[in-house]
Amino acid sequence: MRKPKPKIIVGLAFVIAVAALVGWRVRAARKPRTPAGRTAEVRRGDISVSVNESGTLEPVVKVDVKSRVAGRVLRIFVREGQTVRAGDPIATVDPTEVARQVEGIKAQLAAAQAGLRQAEEGYTLARRQTVLSIRRAEAGLATARLRLREVMASARPQEVAEARQVIARAEAQASDARRTLARRRALFAKGFVSQSDVDAARTALDVAETEVTSARERLSLLRAGARTEAVEIARAGVREAQIQLDTERANAAQDRLRLRDVERARAQVAQIENQLAEQSVQLGETRIVAPIGGEIVRKYLEEGELIASATAGFAQGAAIVTIADLRRMQVRVNINEVDVSRVRVGQDVDIRVEGMSNAVFRGRVASIAPASTTALGAQGQNTGESGRSVVRFE
């Protein structure tokens, strides 16, 4: 048998290859084509990255109106949805109890003021008496000291001369009395005078001689100086006057005690006046007014209900209404720690509200909390990877 020629073999291989290629294209044409993705013209520009989160829409300013006075609510002048201005009446609390307290404090103040006036008058009178007593004691001490100096001083020439003159007069009177007695005796012997005349002349002589003796003793005392007894008496007078002065000065300490009583009464009056001022403010607070303008978004109490004071303790007192200024709103959003690094204060924000799907409000980032919060997923399960809780920033 003859072997086929090489040219024939190559030709057959070429025909088989062409047939296989045609068959593959036919099968490919019959398969459905996978649609291509969206296409766009390639051009140079900026890439915008956005962060989408859900948050809570609330007013920037919202105030819970509470009462500073405890009592029963008499009237409520507003309703939910009503717009009020600052100073508009909100409610009235029964002022009977507060008014009774004000009257009681006024009575206490009147009594305290009367006590203060009495203390002031007593102090003024005691002070005057003390000053007069001290001056009187000082004058007495000065007089006693002057008396002591006079007693201790030596006789002066003038006093000695006066004493000598007194002696001379006394001796002259005694000489005259002797002559009178001699004449009376001579006349008595002749029967011209009675015995009583003689006796009278004798008595006059005795008196004159006694005056001479006294005058001479006076002169002797003046020449000898002060007697020890007189000096001691004068010194005792000085000591007594000094003791009296010290006593009066010690009594002045009682005046300081009276002055403290006056100061205590003044402090009591001031304290009661402060209490009266506080209760008067409380009486004015029974009329509750709106602290800000806005809309009544919620009403919590009704007329006739009892209300506790908001100042009785920390975070006490129930709110009567809530007023919100709806002209300025804010959205609080908790952003994932991965996305918060892309947010900056002042960036523009698009806000969409449920129920107003077509409306887009413009805002800006006002603040970012420096502290993070840990948000747990549904049913208390951690929503982060590797069992960690999701850290978010408000």
Side-chain angles (χ1 to χ4, degrees):
M1 178 181 293
R2 292 188 305 172
K3 293 182 180 181
K5 294 181 179 181
K7 293 182 178 180
I8 298 175
I9 294 174
V10 174
L12 291 174
F14 177 76
V15 173
I16 292 172
V18 172
L21 178 60
V22 173
W24 176 79
R25 287 191 173 181
V26 171
R27 287 195 302 270
R30 291 178 179 177
K31 291 182 179 180
R33 294 185 177 181
T34 302
R38 290 187 301 173
T39 61
E41 181 182 355
V42 179
R43 61 177 179 267
R44 188 181 300 275
D46 296 330
I47 298 177
S48 177
V49 179
S50 62
V51 177
N52 296 322
E53 289 288 351
S54 297
T56 303
L57 181 64
E58 60 184 30
V60 175
V61 179
K62 182 175 64 174
V63 177
D64 290 335
V65 180
K66 298 182 179 182
S67 173
R68 291 170 53 90
V69 184
R72 187 179 301 278
V73 179
L74 291 182
R75 292 284 307 277
I76 297 179
F77 303 100
V78 296
R79 63 182 184 279
E80 290 185 357
Q82 181 179 342
T83 301
V84 295
R85 295 176 299 179
D88 287 349
I90 298 297
T92 301
V93 179
D94 189 0
T96 303
E97 183 65 24
V98 182
R100 188 180 298 112
Q101 294 177 2
V102 169
E103 294 301 323
I105 295 176
K106 286 182 178 179
Q108 295 178 7
L109 179 59
Q113 289 174 342
L116 174 59
R117 289 191 296 270
Q118 182 178 0
E120 290 176 342
E121 292 174 357
Y123 169 74
T124 302
L125 179 61
R127 184 60 181 170
R128 291 177 179 175
Q129 291 178 350
T130 300
V131 171
L132 293 176
S133 299
I134 291 176
R135 290 178 178 176
R136 189 181 300 112
E138 290 175 346
L141 178 60
T143 302
R145 287 174 176 173
L146 180 60
R147 177 61 180 168
L148 177 60
R149 286 195 298 269
E150 291 178 353
V151 171
M152 294 181 66
S154 59
R156 292 176 294 181
Q158 182 180 358
E159 292 178 347
V160 174
E162 291 177 356
R164 287 176 178 176
Q165 292 176 2
V166 172
I167 292 174
R169 286 194 300 269
E171 289 178 345
Q173 291 176 359
S175 298
D176 185 57
R178 289 190 190 98
R179 288 191 295 270
T180 301
L181 177 60
R183 286 193 300 269
R184 294 282 177 89
R185 282 177 178 176
L187 293 173
F188 177 73
K190 295 179 179 180
F192 292 117
V193 294
S194 64
Q195 184 64 37
S196 59
D197 293 332
V198 176
D199 294 338
R202 182 62 187 177
T203 302
L205 177 60
D206 293 339
V207 170
E209 291 178 346
T210 301
E211 290 180 355
V212 171
T213 303
S214 299
R216 289 175 178 175
E217 290 178 354
R218 171 66 178 167
L219 179 59
S220 299
L221 290 176
L222 289 175
R223 290 176 175 177
R227 290 181 300 174
T228 306
E229 295 82 359
V231 173
E232 292 299 327
I233 292 174
R235 287 177 176 173
V238 172
R239 289 193 296 269
E240 182 179 358
Q242 184 65 52
I243 292 174
Q244 182 65 27
L245 178 60
D246 294 339
T247 302
E248 297 299 335
R249 288 176 176 174
N251 292 335
Q254 298 181 357
D255 295 339
R256 290 193 291 270
L257 295 178
R258 293 188 178 94
L259 180 59
R260 293 192 182 95
D261 293 338
V262 172
E263 294 174 350
R264 187 181 302 108
R266 288 175 179 171
Q268 185 178 5
V269 169
Q271 181 180 6
I272 297 177
E273 287 177 345
N274 291 334
Q275 294 178 357
L276 179 60
E278 181 179 356
Q279 289 299 321
S280 299
V281 172
Q282 292 283 328
L283 183 61
E285 293 290 343
T286 56
R287 181 178 180 271
I288 304 170
V289 298
I292 63 171
E295 185 173 332
I296 306 296
V297 296
R298 189 166 183 183
K299 177 182 174 184
Y300 300 95
L301 298 178
E302 297 295 337
E303 295 181 356
E305 295 189 46
L306 295 176
I307 188 172
S309 172
T311 59
F314 180 74
Q316 290 187 359
I320 301 176
V321 296
T322 298
I323 302 176
D325 186 0
L326 303 182
R327 295 173 299 177
R328 297 180 60 210
M329 305 294 291
Q330 67 182 2
V331 179
R332 292 183 178 270
V333 180
N334 290 324
I335 300 179
N336 191 292
E337 60 179 339
V338 177
D339 296 331
V340 74
S341 61
R342 306 174 183 177
V343 182
R344 297 288 184 273
V345 174
Q347 287 181 336
D348 294 333
V349 180
D350 291 338
I351 303 172
R352 293 178 174 82
V353 182
E354 293 183 0
M356 303 175 66
S357 57
N358 296 328
V360 178
F361 300 94
R362 300 289 294 176
R364 70 174 186 275
V365 179
S367 64
I368 301 175
S372 63
T373 59
T374 302
L376 295 178
Q379 299 178 355
Q381 299 297 326
N382 295 331
T383 59
E385 297 178 357
S386 302
R388 295 184 306 167
S389 58
V390 177
V391 178
R392 294 179 177 273
F393 291 81
E394 188 178 50

